Amino acid sequence: MNAAEPLIVGLEFGGTKCIATLAQGQTILRQERWPTGTPQTLHTMSDMLAHWQRETPFAAIGIASFGPLHLDRSAANFGHMGNTPKPGWAGCDIFGHFARRFAVPVGIDTDVAGAALAEGTWGASQGCAVHAYATIGTGVGLGLVVHGEAVHGHLHPEAGHMRIRRQPGDMFAGACPIHGDCLEGLVGGPALAARSPIAAADIPDDDPLWQVVAADLAEWCAMLILAVSPERLVMGGGVIQSRPKLLGLIARRSAQLLNGYIDDLNAAALECLIVAPGLGANAGPLGAVVLGQRALAASA
Ligand code: ADP
Ligand code: ZN
């Protein structure tokens, strides 16, 4: 830890839980978490932040949230939630809530863009010009970084809602309330809960369902590799982080799907390209911290 580094608050909003982190560089000093629930959680979090601010004044806040998010700074809806099916959250002014209450720079991006930036800064994607972070949790998302900047375009990547080629014989209708059997609807936490009679966390590692999940994710990875050519594709999130064997299955199946077309991307190379977060379970929380660091730098 460099004592000269400013204290930054990172707020990660996930599909299931929200995490507030006080950090100096990548060193985590305090952390609190809450169930995501309704937007009332914003008040609970900002009350806690006001308490932190009195005890350990921080210099900036970074918000890393599930999407879709409006991120066009020139638009009236900057920092508002888009059309999320999460009850109460659609249209919520998540950026404004914190920017109005705290007199410090506030940055905002998607949870996966933040995590990708954190992996590029401190984790598994250091030194990569083009890299991505995928979360396989309650939702499925992708943050894409090109030359140190998270990709924003018309909106931002929402690659978890792509439809992939289905596995032969898999008749599950899908659990995405918007698309049914998009990738999130096939392998996100609620999809696993709907596919299995037991909770996702309790499904044994040798259950055949994991072969389907790995094959579905490999279809997606092969498409991502062909579409954006990442040098590193980090995969985190609650579904995958406690199932490390899935990554090897995904890499090997991706190699079969690519079938030698990109000649140096064989299975061994893909096992180095598709990896677990270097920051482990802190990729998301530190992603929010990086967004706060960047907001502070931009305000200087
Ligand atoms: P969030 O989506 O809030 O960011 P996570 O990335 O931790 O949070 O993902 C939470 C999801 O991960 C839940 O839907 C849960 O069912 C699932 N999950 C948690 N542990 C496991 C596990 N061991 N195996 C499979 N799925 C799990
Ligand atoms: Zn969807």
Side-chain angles (χ1 to χ4, degrees), residues 161 176 179 182:
H161 291 276
C176 174
H179 311 109
C182 65

Side-chain angles (χ1 to χ4, degrees), residues 12-13 25 35 41 47 56 71-72 102 113 157 168 185 209 219 232 257 264 274 290:
E12 187 198 11
F13 292 82
T41 308
D47 286 350
T56 45
L71 296 173
D72 177 357
F102 297 95
L209 176 57
E219 289 282 346
R232 197 82 76 236
L257 292 168
D264 60 347
I274 301 170
V290 167

Side-chain angles (χ1 to χ4, degrees), residues 14-17 137-138 189 200-201 210 237-239 242-243:
T16 299
K17 62 189 185 313
T138 313
W210 297 117
V239 171
S242 50
R243 311 255 175 197

